[in-house]
Amino acid sequence: MPSAIPVPSVPDRLTRLPLSRPDLRLLDAIGQCGDLAEAARRAGLRAAAAERRLDRLDQATGLRLTLRDVRTARLSTEGARVLVAGRRFFRQVDQAVQTEIYGRGTEALNAPRILDIATAEPLMEDLVEDAADTLGILLSVSHDTPLQVLRQLDGYRVDAAHTWGLDVLSHAVDRTVRTYDVLDDPLWVTLPVGHPLAGRDTVSLADLRDENWVSEAGPRGEVLVSRVYQSAGLTPPARIQVAGASVARGMLRRGDAVGLGSPACPAVFAPSLVRRSLRERPRRAAGLLVDPAVVPRALAQQLAALLTDRCLSRFTERHGDLLRDPWWADWLRGQRAELARRTEDAVHSLRTPPALPAESAQIDVEDLHLLRAVADHGSINRAAAVLSISQSALTRRIHRLELRLGASLLVRSSRGTDLTAPTRQFLDRLTSFEAELHAVGLTGQRDTVPAAEPGTTQRRAHRSSRGAVGRPGRAERGAVRPAVAGRGCCRGGVRPPPPPGGHFAPSAT
């Protein structure tokens, strides 16, 4: 089935769309299992046909999407990015079909089978089985710093991000996202057991200003300890070492520094350490940011509520001693009440119109090709001439699409046959989806991808206005373990190379 859509030469519209749904299914299968023959089988192809399709995709996008040898294949960093952005595009198409053609509302979407999510909190691993059991969805988890987590979401590398910040989280992302609260997260201080202030129930930031601190960086690159001190109207400490979460935990365990912690994160438990409340009661906000074109509101609300429940359960299991402090007891009651309210909202949001009944009812590239031709050329007659088929053949093909969708796409009158008004509205929205895909730098690339040795990748510019192929980069070494966690997922496969500080795991289309 051809996958190129010729459209008029308009600056804000693409010259072609190089990816179809079967193409994305093949990329997804490669990302999940890493074996070329198995990926081809999952995509309903023979291995040779799968290789030809992958070669065609490389040529169409101007990117090297996969790294292959005789038997194995894995997604390149660019391939993982194309998969996420392509999945978003077709989810937007499905959403527009529901909204414009069926009139069912913007939330009538099927949830993805596997959700790519980046997190700055280690406890996300505890949620994988819960999400599989209670929400029926597999989570593909990557861990990184708060800043890198948001950059992964911003760069169309994941579908959702679970992180924290001291300001509104969505302000740190330049793309359309929807934010759901997870926890109003108080901070405590971790001290060596022999510290002069360790015997107090509550300590002050002012008393700790001369200490040697270790601190993480927040979503916008700010130093957490410095921001907390500034918010309290105090001068930040002179000695702050900024480190990643693992290094910070090691320094705290050895007693090399003091640091801020949270009940939402696994605390550093050691006989040599104590945790104390801070008199200033500093807080941070933990939240879930999702791509609304991929993650339906009902699923996002349920996932955020599950995150909150896990955080609060961990707090009561491991930090029950803090509940002797009335402030912490009140905080826990308030968070539980807020969780109950959000859980009720999540249940209510499930009462949405049903989504498309099956994959066979989805619109694919060839369908868009036909509808766009009719819309651009004004009538069935002129569109048929441009497509080099007869008017009756074009009418029959669109009629078969109508039967598959169970919706009317054509209107017949004495003046001829044309598209219905809802179908034209759908195509108007399609223009913006194509423009977004173009802005991500994944389409409209015309340079030919040269042959490369198996296992090599190439450096490329990521600006949307370029598709130039750079010099071959160094070989990417070593197979990576699969990132999809949960029941029913593939194990023992290969994963694409990680971005700085993290990794990918492509989800199903």
Side-chain angles (χ1 to χ4, degrees):
M1 181 175 64
S3 62
I5 300 181
V7 297
S9 180
V10 180
D12 63 344
R13 290 169 69 167
L14 300 182
T15 56
R16 57 181 173 167
L17 184 63
L19 296 166
S20 66
R21 293 183 193 266
D23 295 334
L24 292 182
R25 283 196 292 273
L26 176 58
L27 292 177
D28 174 70
I30 289 174
Q32 290 189 45
C33 69
D35 181 89
L36 185 58
E38 174 62 17
R41 187 191 67 79
R42 294 186 184 190
L45 300 170
R46 294 187 177 182
E51 286 203 84
R52 288 194 296 271
R53 176 168 288 188
L54 293 172
D55 289 338
R56 178 183 61 77
L57 287 175
D58 285 352
Q59 295 286 338
T61 61
L63 303 171
R64 190 164 303 284
L65 304 181
T66 56
L67 305 173
R68 288 173 272 157
D69 57 25
V70 176
R71 298 183 60 182
T72 66
R74 60 192 177 107
L75 293 180
S76 67
T77 301
E78 291 164 328
R81 180 181 171 92
V82 165
L83 179 60
V84 171
R87 181 171 58 245
R88 172 180 169 82
F89 171 80
F90 282 109
R91 295 284 291 187
Q92 286 178 308
V93 169
D94 292 343
Q95 190 177 70
V97 168
Q98 294 284 358
T99 304
E100 304 298 342
I101 295 179
Y102 290 100
R104 290 177 174 172
T106 59
E107 295 303 326
L109 283 178
N110 292 317
R113 290 192 302 112
I114 303 174
L115 181 66
D116 284 343
I117 182 169
T119 177
E121 305 289 8
L123 72 93
M124 271 295 298
E125 290 292 357
D126 299 341
L127 290 166
V128 173
E129 293 298 333
D130 288 342
D133 290 338
T134 63
L135 305 183
I137 186 170
L138 302 179
L139 296 181
S140 173
V141 183
S142 65
H143 296 278
D144 216 320
T145 64
L147 178 60
Q148 290 299 328
V149 162
L150 290 177
R151 284 180 175 173
Q152 287 194 50
L153 181 64
D154 203 18
Y156 294 86
R157 298 171 184 170
V158 294
D159 304 311
H162 170 231
T163 188
W164 58 267
L166 301 173
D167 296 316
V168 179
L169 290 172
S170 59
H171 291 174
V173 181
D174 291 331
R175 57 178 289 201
T176 301
V177 296
R178 188 176 288 157
T179 306
Y180 299 86
D181 294 333
V182 171
L183 197 66
D184 175 15
D185 202 2
L187 298 171
W188 58 42
V189 65
T190 301
L191 302 171
V193 70
H195 193 279
L197 301 178
R200 301 184 184 180
D201 291 333
T202 304
V203 299
S204 173
L205 288 171
D207 297 333
L208 298 169
R209 191 166 49 194
D210 296 330
E211 297 293 331
N212 182 35
W213 282 88
V214 63
S215 176
E216 294 183 66
R220 290 187 173 181
E222 69 271 20
V223 178
L224 176 61
V225 170
S226 295
R227 279 293 307 273
V228 167
Y229 267 83
Q230 290 167 355
S231 298
L234 300 172
T235 303
R239 293 180 294 170
I240 303 178
Q241 180 171 338
V242 181
S246 60
V247 174
R249 289 165 62 86
M251 292 181 64
L252 293 173
R253 183 176 292 275
R254 295 197 315 178
D256 294 340
V258 300
L260 295 176
S262 159
C265 297
V268 181
F269 288 99
S272 60
L273 299 175
V274 296
R275 304 175 306 278
R276 294 293 179 258
S277 297
L278 288 165
R279 191 170 298 125
E280 292 81 2
R281 307 295 185 186
R283 302 179 183 221
R284 66 180 195 177
L288 177 69
L289 293 81
V290 305
D291 184 336
V294 175
V295 186
R297 183 190 299 272
L299 173 61
Q301 288 178 326
Q302 291 179 86
L303 184 56
L306 185 59
L307 279 164
T308 303
D309 182 68
R310 294 296 298 169
C311 291
L312 297 179
S313 296
R314 178 181 291 270
F315 173 75
T316 54
E317 291 169 4
R318 299 193 176 186
H319 314 305
D321 57 315
L322 289 177
L323 295 178
R324 294 195 300 266
D325 184 337
W327 188 92
W328 283 101
D330 290 342
W331 171 82
L332 181 60
R333 281 193 294 271
Q335 293 298 312
R336 286 291 185 190
E338 177 65 16
L339 174 60
R341 184 193 65 79
R342 290 196 284 115
T343 301
E344 184 179 352
D345 290 344
V347 172
H348 178 73
S349 66
L350 290 174
R351 301 167 189 161
T352 55
L356 291 173
E359 185 175 306
S360 62
Q362 294 174 326
I363 289 182
D364 204 358
V365 169
E366 179 66 14
D367 306 322
L368 297 175
H369 183 185
L370 300 178
L371 296 177
R372 174 59 61 72
V374 176
D376 289 340
H377 298 286
S379 71
I380 290 286
N381 290 340
R382 288 191 288 271
V386 171
L387 295 172
S388 299
I389 60 177
S390 67
Q391 175 187 351
S392 59
L394 177 57
T395 302
R396 285 195 302 271
R397 291 172 69 175
I398 296 180
H399 181 60
R400 285 197 295 268
L401 176 60
E402 288 181 313
L403 293 176
R404 196 171 85 231
L405 294 177
S408 296
L409 305 176
L410 296 177
V411 57
R412 298 163 179 82
S413 66
S414 57
R415 303 173 65 180
T417 303
D418 201 353
L419 297 177
T420 63
T423 306
R424 288 190 173 276
Q425 292 171 359
F426 161 74
L427 292 175
D428 288 342
R429 293 190 62 188
L430 177 65
T431 299
S432 65
F433 305 155
E434 291 176 332
E436 180 185 278
L437 196 62
H438 179 62
V440 178
L442 305 177
T443 58
Q445 317 229 17
R446 297 187 177 277
D447 291 333
T448 301
V449 178
E453 294 297 325
T456 62
T457 186
Q458 294 186 349
R459 301 179 184 274
R460 306 175 190 278
H462 285 280
R463 298 180 184 274
S464 61
S465 59
R466 299 186 195 176
V469 177
R471 297 179 180 178
R474 63 180 177 86
E476 298 188 36
R477 302 174 183 172
V480 188
R481 296 173 60 191
V484 175
R487 299 178 181 175
C489 59
C490 174
R491 301 187 185 277
V494 189
R495 289 167 52 198
H503 59 262
F504 293 129
S507 298
T509 305

